[in-house]
Amino acid sequence: DDIENEEGLSGVPNKIRPELPLERTPIDQTTAIALKEILFGSPMACFTDEWKQQNFSFSDTPGLKYGFVQKKGGPCGVLAAVQACVLQKLLFEESSTSSLDQKLEQSKNLRTKCLCLALGDVLWRAGNMKRATVAINTGRSMFTPIGRYKTDGVLEMMSYVTVETLDDLAFVLEQNIRQFESGPFGCILLTISAILSRTITTIQGDMDVPTSTLIGAHGYCTQELVNLLLCGCAVSNVFDHEMKLDSGNGNFTLLKGIKTPSNIGLLSLFEYYNICKVGSHLKNPKFPIWLVCSESHFSVLFGLSEDLAHSKEQEFDLFYYDGLANQQEPIRLTIYPHSAARTSHRDDTDADLIPPLELCIRTKWHNAEVCWNDTDPIL
């Protein structure tokens, strides 16, 4: 069954629903405290306004209508992960056109459908391809907080539905997709849904340090949260499999990485500076879509040809999208992956003058030359 279900939601037919509605569970204070502990490390911490105001609303800018609009910094890791999953649907699974422009300029209905499918994939992965939980905003408080707990007007208003089939998951998401796409807490709802799908206890076991959090300083997403959304497992590292570090006296520390090849990839500026090592599971994803981690910000780099991730071409195009950058037009980069194919030679001795995006690209294509075409390079 698991193998069949790995196709995600795209093959779920529109069936007549059963008469009985799926049961909603109102959140209680014990669950809310546990969620705040795994998110922030304390029940006294709260979501920032940047998180509260962020949803998965699409751009109206011509040529960029596939992209989410990010209002302020903070939840970019969640936005970029879901953006990548939406692109997977739009470009490779749901598009009926072969035209490159038309693939990225889809109707509102198809965009929303792809968002539904992408959220379903994220949550089904988190639930180990067996179950998923969807958090919903009820608009009213489900409990009256007592003791050491700070109210933020978000968690207290949630109920959630747990499902055990892809059909039911598709149904719940379709019924509530407006909360994610245009509601005030869309980004938070997806984050809570992923945590509840994975379960807090399992997430703590995923992490190298069980007391790690999913949201770090200044409201930024940690790598654990990004990995949870991309791979369904909140591990702390981006290398393949596991790594044992000798702690002396016959003891060792187990560091956990990405267990299996991923649909979506990751390129990191930290790897360029030898701070981390991105393994092949993330560097060579199934689809030519990568999250780009440049310091504390996440954005998306993608190609339009499915075999691009393993291409031996002398040159190819990648598109870059950053929901926070207020882009007004597509950014198309031409990549010359082999030094012999470079159109120009540039001295790399001063990395400060090289756009960070190019440095990230070179962690996968080491000798790549990047042509920005008609766009000013992003420094």
Side-chain angles (χ1 to χ4, degrees), residues 12-30:
V12 175
N14 292 321
K15 295 180 179 177
I16 298 173
R17 300 303 311 168
E19 288 76 12
L20 293 175
L22 295 163
E23 184 178 350
R24 289 191 184 188
T25 303
I27 196 167
D28 55 34
Q29 183 166 339
T30 302

Side-chain angles (χ1 to χ4, degrees), residues 1-10 88-89 93 121 124-125 128-129 166 260-261 263 286:
D1 287 347
D2 289 355
I3 293 172
E4 291 179 0
N5 288 342
E6 284 186 9
E7 292 299 319
L9 290 177
S10 55
Q88 174 189 327
K89 300 297 174 186
E93 296 181 11
D121 276 4
W124 198 243
R125 266 196 303 268
N128 206 27
M129 306 296 203
L166 281 167
T260 57
N263 283 341
K286 178 179 178 182

Side-chain angles (χ1 to χ4, degrees), residues 124-154:
W124 198 243
R125 266 196 303 268
N128 206 27
M129 306 296 203
K130 295 175 181 174
R131 57 186 290 280
T133 299
V134 182
I136 298 159
N137 177 19
T138 67
R140 57 191 177 87
S141 185
M142 296 287 101
F143 64 89
T144 303
I146 56 172
R148 192 171 177 272
Y149 176 90
K150 188 170 182 180
T151 303
D152 60 13
V154 181

Side-chain angles (χ1 to χ4, degrees), residues 67-83:
F68 297 139
V69 177
Q70 184 175 353
K71 297 169 183 176
K72 293 184 179 179
C76 57
V78 174
L79 280 170
V82 177
Q83 178 74 78

